[in-house]
Amino acid sequence: MIKTYQDYLKQTGEVGSIEAIVQSIVYVSGLPGVRPKETIVAEGGQRGIVQSLEADLAEVLMLDTANLTTHLSVARTGESFTVAAGEGLLGRVVDAYVRSIDGLGPISGEKKDQPIDPGAPGIVSRVRVERPLETGVSIVDILIPIGYGQRELVIGDKKTGKTTFLLQTIANQAAKGTICIYVSIGKKQDDVKEVENYLKSKNIFNNCVIVGANAADPATMIYLAPYTGMAIAEYFRDSGRDCLIIFDDLSNHAKFYREISLLLKRSPGRGSYPGDIFHIHAALLERAGNITTASGKNVSITALPVAETLEGDITGYIQTNLMAITDGHIFFDIEEFRKGARPAINPATSVSRVGNQTKADLDRGLAQLIREDLSSYQRSLEIARFGVELPAKTRAQIDLGEKIGVIFNQDVTSILPRGLQLVLMGLLLAGYWQGKNASLVKVDVIKIFQKYDKGEFKDIEKQIVTCRSTEDLISLVRTKTSKITEALYV
Amino acid sequence: MEKWEEIFDSITKDVKTTNQRDAFLEQVEETSRWIYKGGKKTLSEKIKGAVSEEFRKLVVDLETSSQIPTGGAEAKEFLGDLEEYLNKSTLVKLTLAFFPSQDFLEKLSVWFKKQTGKGAIFDVQVKEEIIAGCLFEYAGEYRDYSLASKLDDALEKELEEAKLVKL
């Protein structure tokens, strides 16, 4: 039963009065026993969260600002702010207060009140990140692997394909049963709608929740949106399921928090951001991780926060904060984007600090080989810039690098499972495309995708995933080349 | 303000409610406007017709007993401090089912001063729904001593018991 102002007044026996209103901040007198982070309710039903306590007044961030007037009475609730999370959220689009905004009516089913700002899990319940999380994007899965429970920052300029990559990851993971939560922070309503349409087109929206706080919403709602998303993720994690949560994007969140802090008269620091900007993002992301439940099951919340840069500058305040907080970052390079790479990920400047420990020996060996080849490719390109005649070895390195680039190039609709990624890499390393140029390789790769979608290569895939080393992979692929050629060209 | 506190106490002894306080403050403000007007007349002569006769008599008494300064600046300060004294008075919000008489408020004021050692101004609201008793708010504390809430509690208890019996 939802309690009213009168109910709380009777329950707590404390009353206050709004003395001043500054946009979404109100200053309340009275309420002698009020505590920071407590929820208060006004006579008109408007709710707010106490931010700080001064000598005579409490500073409150109002969640509803409609019909607020001075001298309006206010009561304590004795509770911290909670959101109602439940199974009914799956396949729905909600706002930061978990109210439906998809036009399908209220959220049905049993709900549990989840606090939006509990502490992070303690060290005793935490478990090593050991299981690999497949994104379905080969360059990430091979070179910048992510594990369940990891926090990996996705950073890059506007329109470089960050959201596309994230949607491909959601599509892959939701199909495997992971609960995916996409938190849109300060974006346009159109962008949220596009995300919803993409997930519906992949028939995996029933395993997803979208929390949308668009640019037209009050700053308070935008500030709360990531906390709501995390509270929903914690509900599903506690029910025994792995969760993937995406914050798109936290650099925008920082701007709205700055706005609120300046209204709260907090001293501005670097870039006018408040001094606790690192803390709020760190405290939020600390709640992700791999933990063991009371029943002994390992469950995780994997967080993929997004940060926007300008002209590839990753030395910004918020960007460096997030890079310090997370367990690695995937850098979407504007230069790679301009060269036509899709996704425009720069593997040399991206890092995954805990992803490697989730990988099998085969994947680690493969990643090392590919990295060495890509590094040789870059060096060879620099030599080629001088316009001199290149020795055969250098030409071969450039050729191999271009072919690796072709395999790593994936469009929006392609999601590659691990097996298919290994098939492609195995073919490359086994010399299947020796003597062919990159364009022909591209044609072959497209044909392999098409055949795979029709169900071919499944038996090859099954055998390849059992390989233990790159040598095993290469020798297995060599025995299958005739079968593959037959499938592609006959 | 401390130097005139006793005088203020006696001037405002009949101001019990917020309505009375607001009316009193209006007259103090009006008087303050007349300090530098009206030539060399006394303040009580200047404000004749501008304020109520009762208030004017109060000013006459203050002039007779030399309790109000005669100089313009000091008189302005006196009236300013009087306004501040009234605005800073302890406010007690009282919701009753009837409008209280002055006697009732007087007794309540005496009782309150005995309990807390301070005078108070009552913000009285009438709400017949509470049936009897009162709703009381002071220094952020809220207490419901109304008959209506007791009846609600009793009814709720009966309903709970009836539900249990049904089960």
Side-chain angles (χ1 to χ4, degrees):
Chain A
M1 198 185 73
I2 298 171
K3 287 186 183 172
T4 61
Y5 162 79
Q6 286 295 339
D7 297 327
Y8 282 118
L9 199 57
K10 250 185 180 175
Q11 183 186 304
T12 59
E14 288 185 23
V15 70
S17 172
I18 294 178
E19 300 298 331
I21 304 172
V22 179
Q23 293 197 26
S24 48
I25 316 288
V26 301
Y27 293 87
V28 173
S29 62
L31 300 180
V34 75
R35 292 165 293 176
K37 304 226 172 152
E38 188 176 338
T39 308
I40 55 101
V41 59
E43 213 172 336
Q46 304 95 328
R47 282 165 198 261
I49 303 173
V50 176
Q51 294 296 111
S52 67
L53 302 174
E54 294 174 10
D56 297 320
L57 300 170
E59 216 169 32
V60 180
L61 182 64
M62 292 305 290
L63 306 178
D64 307 312
T65 51
N67 303 322
L68 280 179
T69 55
T70 47
H71 305 306
L72 191 65
S73 295
V74 154
R76 284 181 63 194
T77 60
E79 302 159 356
S80 53
F81 188 66
T82 58
V83 290
E87 297 294 323
L89 283 172
L90 292 173
R92 302 299 299 269
V93 183
V94 295
D95 66 7
Y97 307 147
V98 195
R99 296 179 302 205
S100 135
I101 54 170
D102 52 11
L104 298 176
I107 308 296
S108 59
E110 215 176 295
K111 290 174 214 135
K112 187 182 167 200
D113 284 332
Q114 288 284 126
I116 58 158
D117 202 7
I123 195 160
V124 173
S125 59
R126 290 196 185 255
V127 181
R128 194 177 155 83
V129 172
E130 280 178 335
R131 294 175 293 143
L133 182 143
E134 271 184 42
T135 63
V137 176
S138 50
I139 189 170
V140 172
D141 289 340
I142 292 172
L143 297 180
I144 321 155
I146 303 172
Y148 281 102
Q150 188 172 347
R151 297 144 322 149
E152 184 82 356
L153 178 66
V154 176
I155 184 169
D157 280 21
K158 263 187 210 196
K159 303 284 181 201
T160 47
K162 300 187 296 298
T163 305
T164 307
F165 159 71
L166 292 166
L167 291 178
Q168 286 171 304
T169 308
I170 292 177
N172 198 30
Q173 283 301 309
K176 292 180 194 299
T178 305
I179 304 298
C180 300
I181 298 152
Y182 179 85
V183 182
S184 168
I185 305 167
K187 303 252 172 223
K188 294 181 289 187
Q189 280 180 322
D190 277 352
D191 293 341
V192 179
K193 195 66 191 169
E194 268 178 39
V195 169
E196 186 189 344
N197 290 341
Y198 176 86
L199 296 175
K200 282 181 175 164
S201 70
K202 292 286 177 187
N203 294 322
I204 43 90
F205 196 47
N206 284 340
N207 271 347
C208 300
V209 181
I210 297 178
V211 178
N214 63 57
D217 288 331
T220 325
M221 275 181 85
I222 299 173
Y223 162 67
L224 276 183
Y227 296 98
T228 301
M230 189 56 95
I232 295 171
E234 283 165 341
Y235 167 81
F236 286 109
R237 178 202 62 194
D238 295 342
S239 70
R241 282 168 283 187
D242 288 319
C243 288
L244 169 67
I245 182 164
I246 284 154
F247 301 106
D248 193 2
D249 63 83
L250 285 185
S251 40
N252 226 4
H253 179 253
K255 285 180 193 152
F256 284 98
Y257 183 61
R258 176 175 58 185
E259 182 184 322
I260 291 169
S261 295
L262 290 171
L263 284 171
L264 285 168
K265 297 178 194 151
R266 301 285 181 269
S267 300
R270 177 180 165 185
S272 297
Y273 288 103
D276 63 345
I277 189 68
F278 185 99
H279 165 76
I280 64 153
H281 287 157
L284 175 69
L285 294 171
E286 267 304 298
R287 289 157 66 181
N290 210 15
I291 67 159
T292 185
T293 60
S295 58
K297 187 178 177 186
N298 281 1
V299 284
S300 65
I301 297 175
T302 309
L304 298 179
V306 179
E308 221 167 73
T309 55
L310 196 59
E311 283 298 313
D313 180 20
I314 55 171
T315 61
Y317 184 32
I318 303 303
Q319 291 79 2
T320 48
N321 275 358
L322 290 169
M323 282 161 71
I325 292 165
T326 49
D327 305 320
H329 56 270
I330 298 171
F331 181 45
F332 279 74
D333 196 338
I334 188 71
E335 291 302 326
E336 294 292 318
F337 186 85
R338 286 172 185 151
K339 286 180 201 164
R342 304 283 188 274
I345 295 173
N346 187 334
T349 47
S350 301
V351 68
S352 173
R353 296 181 228 278
V354 297
N356 265 332
Q357 68 202 34
T358 67
K359 289 303 203 180
D361 290 336
L362 167 63
D363 302 272
R364 275 193 224 132
L366 190 62
Q368 191 174 345
L369 278 176
I370 301 296
R371 278 193 185 276
E372 282 168 8
D373 290 336
L374 283 175
S375 176
S376 308
Y377 169 58
Q378 290 298 331
R379 280 197 305 272
S380 304
L381 276 182
E382 277 162 29
I383 295 169
R385 239 177 253 140
F386 291 108
V388 298
E389 194 172 327
L390 300 169
K393 189 180 172 190
T394 310
R395 283 200 304 269
Q397 281 169 349
I398 292 175
D399 185 56
L400 181 60
E402 281 173 356
K403 286 170 186 168
I404 293 172
V406 164
I407 292 172
F408 279 155
N409 249 22
Q410 256 175 268
D411 63 27
V412 177
T413 53
S414 326
I415 296 166
L416 270 60
R418 177 175 173 253
L420 187 56
Q421 292 171 17
L422 292 174
V423 166
L424 291 170
M425 284 299 161
L427 284 171
L428 179 70
L429 295 174
Y432 182 76
W433 287 299
Q434 193 85 22
K436 285 186 185 177
N437 65 31
S439 323
L440 288 170
V441 173
K442 193 169 181 176
V443 171
D444 279 353
V445 166
I446 292 169
K447 278 189 191 165
I448 290 172
F449 288 171
Q450 287 167 350
K451 297 287 181 183
Y452 183 84
D453 283 340
K454 287 180 184 161
E456 294 193 42
F457 306 133
K458 294 282 187 197
D459 52 337
I460 300 174
E461 188 192 1
K462 264 188 202 159
Q463 289 174 52
I464 272 181
V465 296
T466 60
C467 292
R468 289 184 180 279
S469 67
T470 48
E471 290 80 20
D472 292 345
L473 173 69
I474 292 167
S475 33
L476 177 63
V477 167
R478 281 192 177 133
T479 63
K480 304 289 176 187
T481 48
S482 52
K483 202 174 174 185
I484 292 167
T485 309
E486 204 182 300
L488 291 180
Y489 295 110
V490 173
Chain B
M1 187 165 78
E2 288 82 14
K3 55 187 174 186
W4 291 312
E5 212 165 294
E6 273 185 39
I7 303 170
F8 292 158
D9 271 341
S10 68
I11 294 171
T12 59
K13 64 180 181 340
D14 290 332
V15 177
K16 299 288 177 220
T17 68
T18 47
N19 288 342
Q20 290 169 347
R21 180 196 64 185
D22 294 342
F24 194 88
L25 282 171
E26 254 182 60
Q27 300 201 87
V28 169
E29 212 179 299
E30 184 61 32
T31 306
S32 190
R33 277 189 219 118
W34 282 95
I35 289 173
Y36 293 111
K37 291 184 195 174
K40 288 189 191 262
K41 293 184 202 169
T42 61
L43 188 58
S44 55
E45 283 165 356
K46 287 184 205 176
I47 62 175
K48 196 172 185 179
V51 300
S52 68
E53 194 51 36
E54 204 183 325
F55 188 81
R56 198 188 74 83
K57 275 190 185 148
L58 181 68
V59 173
V60 165
D61 292 339
L62 287 172
E63 280 172 346
T64 312
S65 53
S66 305
Q67 284 180 324
I68 187 169
T70 47
E74 292 91 2
K76 195 99 182 169
E77 191 191 342
F78 178 87
L79 293 173
D81 284 353
L82 175 59
E83 277 183 56
E84 199 186 324
Y85 174 82
L86 273 171
N87 281 325
K88 281 193 173 161
S89 300
T90 308
L91 192 66
V92 176
K93 206 169 169 189
L94 207 56
T95 307
L96 302 166
F98 61 94
F99 199 86
S101 64
Q102 192 67 16
D103 271 343
F104 181 92
L105 289 169
E106 183 65 47
K107 285 179 188 166
L108 197 59
S109 188
V110 164
W111 170 83
F112 189 86
K113 195 155 189 179
K114 239 187 201 172
Q115 300 296 320
T116 62
K118 296 187 230 178
I121 292 196
F122 297 97
D123 181 4
V124 179
Q125 285 176 7
V126 176
K127 225 178 180 182
E128 284 166 7
E129 300 89 66
I130 65 170
I131 305 173
C134 72
L135 304 176
F136 186 85
E137 277 176 41
Y138 167 64
E141 299 283 342
Y142 172 87
R143 296 290 180 269
D144 188 346
Y145 299 120
S146 66
L147 183 58
S149 78
K150 287 194 167 58
L151 290 173
D152 282 339
D153 291 340
L155 184 63
E156 221 176 287
K157 205 175 166 185
E158 292 294 322
L159 284 170
E160 288 287 334
E161 282 171 11
K163 270 188 205 162
L164 286 167
V165 163
K166 203 176 175 181
L167 287 168

